[in-house]
Amino acid sequence: MPRLGQIQLVASEMRSHPTRADALRLSATIVNQASRSQAYPGLEVVLLDLKGQALASRQFEPSEYLAEGADIEGGMTPEAYLPVVLDMA
């Protein structure tokens, strides 16, 4: 199980999806700040309105956000910066 306190979100940007009018694309970068490799985390994205109320949420497993053929079992190496692109309808 990942030590979530040592995986940090260091950048994120939400934009319209480049090819789908009904979707958004989140580009983000996470980093493993632990001194050892650890499991890739599940990611949850929650979209909030201006009052801070949840409008929608979605969870992503590592198999959904890692590149095809990635070594999921090997985990995130220490100080590894991982760019993530998540599409949401």
Side-chain angles (χ1 to χ4, degrees), residues 4-85:
L4 296 178
Q6 294 190 325
I7 296 176
Q8 299 294 315
L9 175 68
V10 294
S12 65
E13 179 180 49
M14 179 77 72
R15 292 186 176 244
S16 299
H17 193 279
T19 60
R20 293 183 51 196
D22 66 339
L24 297 170
R25 175 167 282 175
L26 173 65
S27 299
T29 302
I30 59 175
V31 61
N32 174 16
Q33 295 181 326
S35 60
R36 62 175 178 78
S37 292
Q38 59 177 341
Y40 289 101
L43 302 177
E44 181 177 25
V45 176
V46 180
L47 301 179
L48 306 174
D49 66 13
L50 294 175
K51 295 179 183 177
Q53 300 296 312
L55 295 172
S57 66
R58 168 111 193 269
Q59 294 182 349
F60 295 87
E61 294 301 316
S63 61
E64 295 177 282
Y65 67 79
L66 292 173
E68 188 173 321
D71 180 16
I72 294 175
E73 296 302 317
M76 290 182 75
T77 57
E79 298 301 321
Y81 284 76
L82 177 66
V84 176
V85 176

